[in-house]
Amino acid sequence: MDWEIDSKASNRLGTGLTIQKYLVWISIEKMLPDSLKSWLIQWLEDHREFVVAVFCLPASLLFTVLMRFKAYVRWLTSDPQRHDSNVREIQQRVQQWNKLPPEDRRLLCTSRPNWLSLSTTFFQKHLHHQVPIPLYDILELNEADMTVRVEPMVTIGDITEYLIPRGYSLAVTIELTDATLGGLAFGTGMSTHSHKAGLYHETITSYEVVLADGSLVKATADNEYVDLFKTLPWCHGSLGFLVAMTIKIVKIKPYIKIKYIPVRGQKKYCDMLREFSGTYEKVPKEFPDYIEGTIYSKDEAVIMVGDYADYDPNIPVNSCSKWHKPWFYKHVETFLEKGESEELIPLRDYLLRHNRAIFWVVEDMLSFGNKTIFRYLFGWLLPPKPAFLKWTTTPGIRAYTFTKQVFQDIVLPIKELERQIEIASILFEKFPLLVYPCKIIDHGPSSGQLKRPDSKYLVPGTNYAMYNDLGVYGVPGKVKDKKPYNPVAAMRKMEDFTREVGGYSFLYADIFMTREEFEVMFDLSLYEEVRKKYKADGAFPHLYDKVKPELDVFAIGEENAIA
């Protein structure tokens, strides 16, 4: 691929240091002899713990301090008119793009650097016309309507710090502080409350979007832009620029009273997850506010059920997100031996319980990271900033690590949970596995990119089916054992199963589908109509082009098959 970009095009794209940084990485890699490049990549892989501990953690801390300082400066210089002014600037930039000669109009995208997103892919922004979206503010808390209006760059960390002291929370709060609410809106997300609230986009009541012609529209479920409202979720920025949205909130209590239930026997823990989430029938009894399953082997799991609670002196309090505490999934594992138990967890600690260990990914970077002495002396440095790890990833390292790890969230019918676990354990040989039950609502035909759930999975007497997120994270067993492993073959088999049962891959992660296979998994009929109607065709990349890996996954698959 030709990576050269002339200075005129670079200025026109307005990419600044982002292009320069990317091209510098590529230039350095091109200058290195293949033997030296291979040695360097292998050295980084063999000494990953040293690199992460000595370089990445301190640098991530400095990076975090810098980002917090920038946020503080924004707060000091806050201006009630800033939102409208910034939105007008975005509109003007899009209108100026429309005035360019057709041959100079590269497809539009935001100028937010790839390394700041939590997506595992590296979308080729340097080939696009980039528009800055400097929108980081929480705009309005409406306690009467139980909503909060925010700009798209507000993070989970920001919104939890803002809402929880006021007695509220988002209905769906994912566990990573750096995730942006706009990224989740145009992508997706779920939490351990999703068996009640559904996917993240089900909690959004309106989207404010700048379209391809520079116009600003507000899309809701009952106005003239209802077709846009249905297709913005899972569009990944392929229909317009999000500039604000309104999200439902819920009232909270200061703690979650969580019960840890160790279970042995696969059918037993699968049935328990289905029963707690209300898979089989709409029963009038109350289901737990939060449900989570951590599967440690085919036959062992710990089921966690939690409810909002006030302080109770008879129940121990576990501030599980403090730097010196054991990683949450390691703490949960102890109940396989301890037996059933209860704790109170402060709400923000609970919502961000997996942040320090990035679920369990950090263990593959720092095998000693959960040791007591490391936690007390250096635990405050965790987690390594995902943004910083991506910033230091060259194209060569990306291609190498692509074959050595898996990071996938897949939405599947919970009635097929036993098959999910069996297939994932064979393909990836990686435990723990994460399971969150999630309500998937049938909104009828042509209701967006998510296909309607099969009628056999619907909860009787309702318009929804109970699905679950299956989270597979880390280094596959074959890679750890230095055995041949073909990541493309493994993931394509997982995607085959996902399509067979009517599931969906989360598109922040690498996908391994052809476009034809992608259009089997997702329903793009309304999406394609909306792209034409609002002139996104020829202005924004297509959804498939936006989310497919920048690597040639099929070539990598062939190489690994030969190896």
Side-chain angles (χ1 to χ4, degrees):
M1 179 175 291
D2 181 10
W3 298 98
E4 299 302 323
I5 300 178
D6 61 55
S7 59
K8 179 180 177 183
S10 180
N11 291 334
R12 190 168 60 238
L13 291 173
T15 55
L17 291 176
T18 305
I19 284 183
Q20 294 173 24
K21 174 255 174 184
Y22 201 73
L23 294 181
V24 165
W25 278 131
I26 295 166
S27 300
I28 291 172
E29 285 198 346
K30 285 184 176 180
M31 288 189 292
L32 292 175
D34 288 343
S35 58
L36 180 57
K37 188 191 305 182
S38 299
W39 175 86
L40 178 61
I41 292 174
Q42 188 61 53
W43 187 90
L44 289 171
E45 179 69 15
D46 293 341
H47 299 84
R48 174 185 289 186
E49 290 186 317
F50 173 81
V51 173
V52 171
V54 175
F55 177 65
C56 288
L57 287 183
S60 290
L61 176 65
L62 293 175
F63 182 84
T64 300
V65 170
L66 175 62
M67 298 301 287
R68 297 287 289 187
F69 177 74
K70 290 178 68 175
Y72 179 66
V73 171
R74 281 198 305 271
W75 177 78
L76 285 178
T77 58
S78 61
D79 177 359
Q81 304 303 317
R82 182 165 60 191
H83 174 74
D84 291 341
S85 174
N86 285 337
V87 171
R88 283 194 296 270
E89 176 66 21
I90 294 166
Q91 290 181 267
Q92 289 168 8
R93 287 178 178 269
V94 175
Q95 290 161 0
Q96 289 167 4
W97 173 85
N98 275 280
K99 295 175 183 177
L100 292 173
E103 64 272 15
D104 288 341
R105 285 187 216 152
R106 297 174 184 243
L107 296 179
L108 294 162
C109 70
T110 74
S111 65
R112 187 173 190 242
N114 272 312
W115 50 269
L116 275 176
S117 82
L118 294 183
S119 171
T120 60
T121 61
F122 286 76
F123 180 64
Q124 296 175 356
K125 293 197 172 195
H126 57 285
L127 301 178
H128 293 71
H129 185 106
Q130 299 182 41
V131 175
I133 310 290
L135 301 171
Y136 299 86
D137 293 337
I138 298 169
L139 301 173
E140 179 189 6
L141 174 63
N142 189 324
E143 295 179 274
D145 291 344
M146 291 293 290
T147 60
V148 62
R149 181 170 173 252
V150 299
E151 293 182 331
M153 298 303 176
V154 172
T155 66
I156 290 291
D158 298 331
I159 200 67
T160 52
E161 286 181 351
Y162 176 81
L163 287 177
I164 290 175
R166 292 167 170 82
Y168 301 104
S169 174
L170 297 181
V172 175
T173 304
I174 77 161
E175 296 81 359
L176 300 178
T177 57
D178 291 341
T180 64
L181 303 189
L184 292 169
F186 274 9
T188 193
M190 69 167 64
S191 74
T192 51
H193 190 64
S194 286
H195 64 293
K196 289 189 171 184
L199 289 169
Y200 177 80
H201 70 263
E202 301 287 0
T203 70
I204 299 175
T205 61
S206 70
Y207 302 86
E208 296 166 50
V209 183
V210 174
L211 299 176
D213 62 358
S215 60
L216 174 65
V217 303
K218 182 176 181 178
T220 71
D222 54 7
N223 72 1
E224 61 185 301
Y225 300 107
V226 60
D227 51 356
L228 193 60
F229 180 84
K230 291 178 178 180
T231 51
L232 286 171
W234 295 75
C235 80
H236 286 261
S238 62
L239 296 175
F241 291 121
L242 182 65
V243 295
M245 57 185 167
T246 302
I247 314 172
K248 296 176 186 176
I249 57 175
V250 294
K251 290 184 177 179
I252 59 170
K253 293 183 178 181
Y255 295 92
I256 296 295
K257 184 171 75 172
I258 188 166
K259 179 184 287 187
Y260 302 93
I261 308 171
V263 187
R264 287 180 169 83
Q266 186 181 92
K267 187 176 188 308
K268 187 176 179 182
Y269 68 69
C270 289
D271 282 344
M272 188 176 291
L273 282 165
R274 287 188 282 255
E275 179 184 350
F276 279 133
S277 61
T279 300
Y280 296 113
E281 55 184 335
K282 185 182 179 183
V283 185
K285 71 175 184 179
E286 282 295 313
F287 298 112
D289 290 320
Y290 293 91
I291 304 173
E292 177 176 4
T294 304
I295 300 171
Y296 291 95
S297 71
K298 285 186 181 181
D299 296 315
E300 289 185 317
V302 177
I303 308 302
M304 288 153 277
V305 292
D307 291 289
Y308 294 116
D310 294 311
Y311 176 70
D312 183 340
N314 299 312
I315 302 176
V317 175
N318 178 14
S319 299
C320 61
S321 292
K322 290 192 179 298
W323 85 95
H324 58 84
K325 289 285 190 174
W327 292 344
F328 187 70
Y329 77 98
K330 288 292 190 183
H331 172 64
V332 172
E333 190 175 17
T334 64
F335 293 100
L336 289 171
E337 299 302 324
K338 293 178 183 177
E340 187 173 311
S341 186
E342 282 188 338
E343 288 180 334
L344 289 176
I345 300 180
L347 181 61
R348 192 167 192 269
D349 284 71
Y350 175 78
L351 294 177
L352 302 178
R353 67 201 176 281
H354 288 303
N355 185 66
R356 281 187 302 134
I358 314 179
F359 295 93
W360 32 87
V361 172
V362 173
E363 184 180 26
D364 291 326
M365 302 178 188
L366 291 171
S367 60
F368 50 81
N370 195 49
K371 301 293 184 184
T372 303
I373 189 168
F374 182 86
R375 292 200 317 268
Y376 273 88
L377 293 178
F378 303 108
W380 49 276
L381 289 168
L382 291 173
K385 204 75 169 172
F388 185 78
L389 293 174
K390 285 187 72 174
W391 188 83
T392 57
T393 299
T394 70
I397 292 174
R398 157 73 167 146
Y400 180 78
T401 56
F402 178 84
T403 66
K404 304 295 183 182
Q405 59 192 13
V406 59
F407 204 97
Q408 291 285 333
D409 284 286
I410 309 164
V411 188
L412 297 157
I414 201 168
K415 286 183 179 179
E416 307 286 356
L417 185 54
E418 289 89 346
R419 290 179 66 197
Q420 299 174 35
I421 296 163
E422 181 67 24
I423 291 170
S425 63
I426 291 171
L427 294 177
F428 306 113
E429 299 180 14
K430 178 63 184 174
F431 287 97
L433 298 173
L434 184 78
V435 175
Y436 290 176
C438 176
K439 177 192 298 185
I440 299 294
I441 300 172
D442 183 353
H443 289 288
S446 295
S447 55
Q449 285 82 288
L450 289 193
K451 285 194 167 182
R452 302 171 68 181
D454 192 300
S455 59
K456 68 182 178 183
Y457 298 129
L458 291 176
V459 176
T462 75
N463 67 335
Y464 62 83
M466 197 58 65
Y467 278 48
N468 66 274
D469 172 29
L470 181 70
V472 189
Y473 319 124
V475 178
K478 284 188 171 67
V479 175
K480 283 190 172 181
D481 297 337
K482 300 189 183 301
K483 295 178 180 177
Y485 171 68
N486 188 330
V488 177
M491 270 309 305
R492 283 184 58 74
K493 288 177 182 176
M494 194 73 211
E495 289 172 344
D496 285 343
F497 169 69
T498 302
R499 286 190 295 272
E500 175 198 331
V501 298
Y504 329 100
S505 297
F506 272 31
L507 300 179
Y508 78 87
D510 290 315
I511 61 170
F512 298 75
M513 295 173 267
T514 64
R515 182 156 178 167
E516 291 72 24
E517 291 165 337
F518 185 83
E519 292 179 0
V520 171
M521 181 177 290
F522 295 96
D523 180 0
L524 300 188
S525 56
L526 181 61
Y527 170 82
E528 299 291 6
E529 292 175 15
V530 166
R531 271 181 67 83
K532 291 182 175 66
K533 178 178 177 180
Y534 296 103
K535 299 181 173 59
D537 266 345
F540 293 94
H542 189 276
L543 172 58
Y544 178 76
D545 296 323
K546 194 73 185 289
V547 301
K548 70 179 181 181
E550 78 286 2
L551 303 167
D552 187 341
V553 297
F554 299 107
I556 292 173
E558 290 176 6
E559 290 172 8
N560 280 269
I562 294 171

